[in-house]
Amino acid sequence: MYNESPAGGGGWYHLLDTVPPGATATAVALLTFHVAGESPPHLEDALNFLRVRQIKDEDPKVDGGWWTNTSKDKPVVEATAWVVRCLAALRCDDQPTTPDLSRAVSWLRNNQDRSGGWGSFHGCPPRVWLTCLALRALLEAAPQDPAVDKGVSWLIEQQLPSGGWAPEPRQNQARVAHTASALTTLVKAGVDPASEKVAKGFDWLLANLDTSSLVEIGNREERSNVLFLRTDKGEEYWLPPSLTHYALPVATTALMHHPRFQSIDVAGKLAQSFDTIVTEQCQDGSWPNSMSTHITLWGVWPCVEALASLRSVRLARAGDQIVWMEGAIVIRQKDGKHLPIEKVLRPLLPRRRWAGSLRWLRRHWAWVSLALFVAGGAVGLATRLIQLTEFAFGLILPIVLLVLQRFIDRKRQ
């Protein structure tokens, strides 16, 4: 799906079967290969393309950013945040042949709203999704930057009483994709997942996530009008490219940080989510585009990120370890060495006739002996073959055996 650019280098467009390449999609594509553990193809050419597209300007609110194919050469968070995150994750240093990461970080800082959030650029109303994009980029490239703390505070303030997040501060309907993105961002920023606000957000996400669909009904696309510039002739607005949200994989990645990650309800939800992600994958490796027939990068990236987050899990339970092998997954249990081999293999072996009855008899043999003696004694008394004193004296042996069995059982426990 890689395409060369007439300006030099090459890359990808968010509609993967479409040309020419764009800065945002090129960065996301490189990041996709990176999180999957693969060396990005065409890396040198892609970095050269991003270097050429980076804006140089005397205005600090313009210099260092990237523009989308539709933003009329104006740098925006929608592109710049993804490129910064990609460059930082791939450890691309500031070389003459690579984009200038430090200038890009400065662009994000200079375009932060006074409230702490981010819109498309300085002067635009902040939005939750764009603030998460900018924070994730800064956390990769400059985690100690003062803009991070301001952004985290703004993001926490936007949490609704229900526990979720809406796309914009003035809205009051929480969305799965935005809640998941906010939670992942806060955890990456060092906020304790078990803290009251964040834990409440995770509980909302768990309760509202539909694991049967890749997208969230009513929140597949996020659109907004942005005031582009104000002139003597009036105001000019820019319609940013719609943000396509694949809520299920974004939420799945978030739930991997749930404070009750190992509990049955969270693990069960995750299992259903991963099952849907895997079964929905197309034969060519992509995921269905819910908006058109084009193959979209916005369907591939979040699914790869979710699967990569599962692959990075080391502990299944406290003390357990997952060993990833070629074609197999081995779970080493913490107490596995104390389990007899027959107990481990019993569920895998064919059931034998009377096996259950024999196990019951071995476990309760003393009670069986006492019951048989009592039944036999009752018959003997009824037929006057034995005396009552003889019967009472004979009870001593089965009672001793019963006490002995109880003692042995306790020792085993």
Side-chain angles (χ1 to χ4, degrees):
M1 297 296 181
Y2 170 86
N3 289 288
E4 294 184 354
S5 170
W12 292 262
Y13 189 59
H14 71 94
L15 299 177
L16 288 169
D17 48 357
T18 306
V19 293
T24 309
T26 298
V28 175
L30 294 177
L31 199 57
T32 302
F33 286 105
H34 174 71
V35 300
E38 297 190 16
S39 178
H42 311 285
L43 178 59
E44 185 176 350
D45 289 336
L47 291 176
N48 182 49
F49 169 71
L50 293 175
R51 180 183 61 82
V52 172
R53 288 284 289 261
Q54 189 174 19
I55 295 178
K56 293 183 178 180
D57 196 280
E58 294 181 358
D59 187 347
K61 290 184 173 61
V62 176
D63 181 67
W66 279 268
W67 45 277
T68 70
N69 287 3
T70 61
S71 66
K72 302 179 181 179
D73 297 343
K74 187 176 183 66
V76 291
V77 167
E78 287 87 335
T80 306
W82 278 112
V83 178
V84 170
R85 182 177 172 185
C86 168
L87 295 176
L90 269 62
R91 301 294 189 266
C92 296
D93 296 328
D94 296 337
Q95 301 295 328
T97 57
T98 63
D100 192 330
L101 182 57
S102 62
R103 288 171 47 225
V105 169
S106 296
W107 187 94
L108 286 176
R109 185 190 311 113
N110 293 330
N111 282 270
Q112 185 179 28
D113 188 74
R114 294 173 62 182
S115 64
W118 276 268
S120 293
F121 46 83
H122 190 268
C124 299
R127 304 179 68 84
V128 169
W129 191 267
L130 297 184
T131 298
C132 291
L133 288 182
L135 281 173
R136 290 295 300 274
L138 289 176
L139 288 169
E140 287 279 359
Q144 304 302 322
D145 195 290
V148 173
D149 289 339
K150 290 177 59 179
V152 168
S153 297
W154 183 91
L155 194 58
I156 293 176
E157 291 172 0
Q158 308 315 310
Q159 187 177 23
L160 299 174
S162 63
W165 275 262
E168 301 177 46
R170 59 181 175 273
Q171 297 176 342
N172 58 9
Q173 185 175 2
R175 298 293 189 179
V176 167
H178 294 78
T179 300
S181 183
L183 290 171
T184 300
T185 302
L186 291 175
V187 172
K188 293 290 185 181
V191 180
D192 185 3
S195 62
E196 183 179 358
K197 279 183 168 291
V198 180
K200 186 176 182 180
F202 275 118
D203 289 340
W204 184 94
L205 183 63
L206 191 67
N208 290 273
L209 177 61
D210 178 11
T211 60
S212 64
S213 175
L214 291 173
V215 296
E216 180 182 9
I217 302 298
N219 191 36
R220 299 182 182 184
E221 281 193 325
E222 181 181 348
R223 294 182 177 273
S224 60
N225 287 324
V226 174
L227 178 60
F228 192 73
L229 55 86
R230 186 180 287 108
T231 65
D232 295 338
K233 298 180 180 180
E235 297 177 341
E236 182 179 352
Y237 282 85
W238 167 57
L239 181 64
S242 59
L243 299 171
T244 306
H245 300 309
Y246 279 71
L248 180 61
V250 175
T252 303
T253 300
L255 285 179
M256 300 294 285
H257 303 286
H258 197 291
R260 293 185 291 104
F261 167 70
Q262 299 172 359
S263 62
I264 294 177
D265 56 341
V266 181
K269 205 85 165 183
L270 281 169
Q272 297 169 10
S273 300
F274 281 115
D275 182 66
T276 299
I277 292 172
V278 171
T279 55
E280 286 291 319
Q281 188 177 25
C282 302
Q283 289 295 324
D284 61 3
S286 66
W287 275 266
N289 186 348
S290 61
M291 306 305 298
S292 73
T293 58
H294 292 281
I295 302 173
T296 174
L297 181 62
W298 301 120
V300 176
W301 152 255
C303 291
V304 171
E305 184 186 33
L307 294 172
S309 67
L310 174 65
R311 186 168 63 183
S312 65
V313 174
R314 303 308 303 170
L315 300 180
R317 295 179 303 175
D320 291 0
Q321 186 177 21
I322 299 179
V323 182
W324 298 86
M325 303 175 64
E326 186 69 27
I329 302 173
V330 178
I331 300 179
R332 300 179 60 182
Q333 293 184 329
K334 179 181 179 181
D335 56 350
K337 60 184 179 181
H338 302 298
L339 298 177
I341 188 65
E342 61 175 6
K343 185 174 181 180
V344 176
L345 297 180
R346 187 177 296 146
L348 306 178
L349 299 176
R351 290 183 175 272
R352 294 178 297 170
R353 192 175 183 182
W354 311 113
S357 300
L358 291 175
R359 284 197 298 270
W360 186 87
L361 286 174
R362 285 199 299 267
R363 182 178 300 177
H364 304 289
W365 57 269
W367 283 104
V368 172
S369 300
L370 179 61
L372 291 176
F373 185 87
V374 170
V379 173
L381 290 173
T383 56
R384 298 183 178 180
L385 293 176
I386 60 174
Q387 299 296 320
L388 182 59
T389 54
E390 296 174 326
F391 173 71
F393 189 76
L395 282 175
I396 295 177
L397 179 59
I399 290 176
V400 170
L401 293 176
L402 180 62
V403 172
L404 180 62
Q405 185 201 32
R406 295 293 296 172
F407 176 76
I408 294 174
D409 290 341
R410 288 193 175 186
K411 290 289 289 183
R412 285 176 178 174
Q413 293 174 3

